Amino acid sequence: MDCRTVRTLLPYAALPEELGGEERAEFDAHVGSCSSCAAIVNAERSFDEAMGRAIRELPTPAGLKNQISTRLAMQQGHVLRRQMLKATAAAAALLLVTLALGWWVSLKSEVSADDLARLKDGELQFVVDFRSDDIEGYFRGQGLRVQLYPDFDPAYLVNFDIVEFKGHRAARLDYQHNDARARVYVLSKRQFRMNKEGGSAVSGSNCSVEIVDMPNLIYVIVYQFDAKRENFLNRNQQVG
Amino acid sequence: MALPGGQRAVQRLVDEHYEALYRYAYRLSGAADQAADLTQETFCKAHAQLSQLRDPQRAKPWLYSILRNAYLHRARSERQHRLLPLESVAELCELPTDPFPEVEPEKLQAALNDLPEGFRTPLLLFYFQEFSYRDIAAQMDLPIGTVMSRLARAKAFLRERLAPAEARRSGADGL
C-alpha cells in the first residue's frame, strides 16, 4: 500500500468496521513504516479523540429521567382520557338514540283490528274515475303517505276518505266487487303499532279482519259479511 | 403497579438511551432546555410509534432518527435553519500533524451551531461512536459517499475554527 492509498483510506480507518481484514493490515503496516503517513494518521486520531471527547462530555441534567417518565405518564393519561372520552361520547350517543327511539315509539298509538272494524262510516269521497296515483296524490296533498294496497284491484275501489283515529289521521279505502265489500285502513308505522292479539274475527260483528304488515305501512282490511280476500285481488292474481 | 407492555418497553429505552440522546439533542440544538425538551419528545413519540420498531436491536438508530426529525421540524417551524455556503467549508487538503489540543466546550458548541444541520448531524453521529457510515447514511437518507464528504468538510471546518491561532495560520498556508 502506498502513501496515496493510505491517505485516501484515512477516513475509513477511524471506524474499525469500515476498514478491516487484509486492507487494515496493509494500512497499519504502511503507517508503521512511513513516518510521514504516521504523523498524519496520528494527527487525525488526535483530532478525532479530542473532538469525540469534547462532544460526548456533557453533563446530563439532574432529574431529566424523571421528567421523561412524568411526560410519558402524562401522555399515557391523555391517551386514556381520550379513549374514555370517546367511550363516554359513544355511550351518550347510544343512550340518546335509545331515548329518542323510546320517545318515538311512545308517540305511536296502539290500535286493534276491533277498533277499526267498529269505525262508523263518515262522509266519503266518491270515486268516479281515477288512477291509483291520483288517489295517492290526493292523500299526499293531505299530508298522508299512502299506497293503495297492491294486491287489490284498484278497479274495485269505490270510495276513499281520511279518518281520524286516536289522534292520528289515516286513509280509508272502500272496495266493492259485486256484493262483497271491504274497507282498508292504511296506517303509517310512524304513528301506529298494531295490537296483534286476537284472531281475524271481530267479536259481536259479522266482519273479519286481515292485517298486512308492510315495511312502512300497515294495511288493516275489514271484510264485511261473507267477503273474502279473493274477491278483490288483481285480476291476474285471481284463481280460476 | 406493573406497567403495561408498551410502557415497560419504553421505560427500558429511556433507561438505556436518555443520556446519549440528551447529548445528541444538545449538540444539535445548542441549548440545554431545547435538548431536554427534544429528549422528552423523542420518548413520547417512541411510545406512540412503538409498533414501528420491529427489531429491538435497531432501537438506538430509531430513537436518534426520531430525535433528529423532531429537531428538524422545530428548526423549520422556527426558521432556524442555517445556510452556510459549501464553499466556506473547506476540504481537508493538508492535514496538520501536531496533536490536537483540548477543546473549550463553549467554542465547540459555537462552531457546531455555525455548521449547517446537514453537516452537523453526520459529524455528531460519527463522534458518538455509535454509528457506521452506513447507519448515518440510512438515517439521513443520503449516499455513503455524500456522508463521508460532508463529514470531511465538517471536520475541516471544526479544525479551522478550533485549532490554535498558529496552527490555523500554518493550515491556511496549505489550503
Side-chain angles (χ1 to χ4, degrees):
Chain A
M1 193 174 279
D2 57 14
C3 294
R4 189 184 172 85
T5 311
V6 164
R7 288 171 201 201
T8 306
L9 289 177
L10 194 54
Y12 298 93
L15 298 173
E17 67 270 25
E18 301 289 349
L19 189 67
E22 208 174 303
E23 214 168 20
R24 165 68 71 176
E26 285 181 31
F27 181 91
D28 289 343
H30 179 87
V31 171
S33 62
C34 172
S35 60
S36 168
C37 285
I40 290 172
V41 169
N42 287 337
E44 182 72 0
R45 195 168 291 153
S46 159
F47 176 77
D48 283 345
E49 281 171 4
M51 282 302 134
R53 223 174 13 252
I55 284 175
R56 288 191 302 272
E57 273 176 13
L58 192 70
T60 313
L64 176 61
K65 195 172 169 184
N66 283 341
Q67 286 171 19
I68 296 168
S69 301
T70 306
R71 193 152 153 188
L72 278 169
M74 279 171 63
Q75 178 178 271
Q76 181 70 6
H78 275 304
V79 170
L80 287 176
R81 267 198 299 281
R82 230 178 7 246
Q83 285 172 346
M84 274 182 65
L85 204 65
K86 273 186 189 169
T88 309
L94 188 66
L95 184 66
L96 212 63
V97 168
T98 309
L99 286 174
L101 200 65
W103 174 76
W104 183 67
V105 167
S106 73
L107 286 180
K108 291 185 181 182
S109 300
E110 189 173 90
V111 63
S112 71
D114 265 25
D115 296 333
L116 287 162
R118 293 175 199 287
L119 272 183
K120 289 180 179 168
D121 288 352
E123 286 293 316
L124 295 179
Q125 301 277 342
F126 186 68
V127 180
V128 180
D129 185 21
F130 71 94
R131 294 197 320 266
S132 61
D133 51 351
D134 291 340
I135 303 289
E136 290 167 2
Y138 164 77
F139 284 118
R140 199 162 40 248
Q142 302 298 313
L144 288 176
R145 283 188 170 273
V146 171
Q147 266 188 300
L148 299 187
Y149 180 50
D151 285 3
F152 280 8
D153 195 327
Y156 303 139
L157 181 65
V158 289
N159 295 307
F160 63 92
D161 196 10
I162 294 171
V163 292
E164 192 166 305
F165 189 64
K166 300 212 170 180
H168 300 297
R169 296 184 312 153
R172 172 183 152 170
L173 309 167
D174 284 13
Y175 290 84
Q176 184 169 356
H177 182 203
N178 299 328
D179 293 333
R181 295 177 68 182
R183 267 182 287 159
V184 177
Y185 295 98
V186 187
L187 310 181
S188 165
K189 279 190 172 175
R190 286 183 175 180
Q191 295 171 328
F192 294 96
R193 62 177 186 276
M194 281 307 295
N195 177 351
K196 292 179 181 174
E197 286 176 10
S200 62
V202 179
S203 57
S205 162
N206 50 10
C207 297
S208 62
V209 175
E210 180 188 8
I211 297 165
V212 180
D213 202 343
M214 301 286 259
N216 297 314
L217 299 170
I218 303 165
Y219 294 92
V220 179
I221 307 167
V222 182
Y223 299 103
Q224 296 176 330
F225 306 109
D226 295 328
K228 292 177 294 194
R229 172 181 177 78
E230 289 73 21
N231 299 133
F232 307 99
L233 290 177
N234 280 309
R235 289 191 181 94
N236 56 1
Q237 286 183 280
Q238 287 177 7
V239 181
Chain B
M1 196 174 75
L3 294 170
Q7 250 179 300
R8 211 166 37 236
V10 173
Q11 193 55 51
R12 202 160 46 237
L13 293 178
V14 173
D15 293 343
E16 287 174 16
H17 301 292
Y18 86 98
E19 287 174 312
L21 280 172
Y22 171 79
R23 290 189 196 108
Y24 180 47
Y26 186 97
R27 294 304 184 200
L28 270 180
S29 66
D33 55 343
Q34 273 203 54
D37 204 43
L38 277 169
T39 311
Q40 292 174 31
E41 188 181 337
T42 299
F43 285 110
C44 285
K45 287 191 169 163
H47 188 202
Q49 302 166 8
L50 197 59
S51 59
Q52 293 177 8
L53 178 64
R54 303 228 170 102
D55 178 7
Q57 301 295 319
R58 303 292 300 162
K60 197 189 298 174
W62 182 63
L63 289 169
Y64 275 69
S65 177
I66 292 175
L67 192 146
R68 178 174 176 248
N69 286 338
Y71 167 73
L72 287 178
H73 185 75
R74 287 184 186 196
R76 268 187 217 114
S77 61
E78 291 167 15
R79 299 190 181 280
Q80 284 182 345
H81 237 27
R82 293 177 187 84
L83 293 173
L84 199 65
L86 285 182
E87 297 75 42
S88 70
V89 183
E91 284 284 6
L92 208 58
C93 296
E94 193 62 40
L95 291 166
T97 52
D98 295 335
F100 205 82
E102 287 303 308
V103 179
E104 289 177 43
E106 295 80 15
K107 277 189 179 175
L108 169 67
Q109 192 57 50
L112 287 173
N113 291 350
D114 283 345
L115 267 177
E117 188 279 329
F119 288 75
R120 201 180 332 145
T121 294
L123 186 92
L124 294 177
L125 293 175
F126 174 79
Y127 280 126
F128 276 112
Q129 292 183 332
E130 309 281 355
F131 301 103
S132 65
Y133 293 134
R134 194 182 306 278
D135 283 336
I136 300 171
Q139 277 213 32
M140 298 187 71
D141 199 19
L142 289 173
I144 290 183
T146 307
V147 167
M148 295 190 67
S149 157
R150 287 189 184 186
L151 187 57
R153 282 168 178 248
K155 277 188 183 184
F157 176 79
L158 283 190
R159 200 189 299 275
E160 185 163 325
R161 282 285 296 266
L162 302 173
E166 60 275 16
R168 266 207 304 274
R169 272 195 300 277
S170 64
D173 293 342
L175 286 176

